[in-house]
Amino acid sequence: VQLVESGGGSVQTGGSLNLSCTSSESAFSIGTVGWYRQVPGNQREMVARMDGPGNTAYADSVKGRFTLSRVASKNAIYLQMDDLKPEDTAVYICNHEIKWVGQNAWGQGIQVTVSS
């Protein structure tokens, strides 16, 4: 299963980015979708995730600044990131898990850099 991320880049503190994740093979309307991030030398951390019914969870560090959404018609998920901070700098990775079929798919990751 291939997940493709886009929308990363470099912004200054306080700026915004909107990450996208699409797949031609995996139906985002089922299972749990989400975004994780990783900084070299650190563990991968959950940023935001959404289950099948649409319940969302966010890392405390991004609450109120990031918004996860899912558009079934486009089979895509988005992460709107506002008021970005230098500590948000990381590789952001899309995830789609469907536990009952044993799927846990990851994208390649996309770089987000926030400068002060």
Side-chain angles (χ1 to χ4, degrees), residues 9-10 17-18 22 30-31 38 53 69-70 84 98 103 105 109 115:
S10 298
L17 285 172
N18 189 21
T22 60
I30 59 175
Q38 189 163 21
S69 60
R70 178 176 58 197
L84 283 160
I98 308 175
Q103 174 182 307
S115 58

Side-chain angles (χ1 to χ4, degrees), residues 42-100:
N42 290 3
Q43 286 190 334
R44 186 174 295 184
E45 66 167 343
M46 189 277 292
V47 177
R49 65 171 181 253
M50 178 185 294
D51 64 12
N55 301 301
T56 56
Y58 295 91
D60 288 342
S61 59
V62 307
K63 282 181 182 176
R65 301 187 297 121
F66 290 12
T67 304
L68 174 64
S69 60
R70 178 176 58 197
V71 180
S73 61
K74 297 185 178 182
N75 199 39
I77 63 169
Y78 303 93
L79 185 67
Q80 176 65 40
M81 305 187 294
D82 297 317
D83 190 24
L84 283 160
K85 304 176 180 181
E87 51 264 41
D88 295 318
T89 295
V91 174
Y92 284 71
I93 309 156
C94 177
N95 173 257
H96 185 203
E97 183 178 19
I98 308 175
K99 288 185 177 179
W100 57 90

Side-chain angles (χ1 to χ4, degrees), residues 6-24:
S6 61
S10 298
V11 297
Q12 293 189 327
T13 297
S16 298
L17 285 172
N18 189 21
L19 303 183
S20 303
C21 178
T22 60
S23 175
S24 60

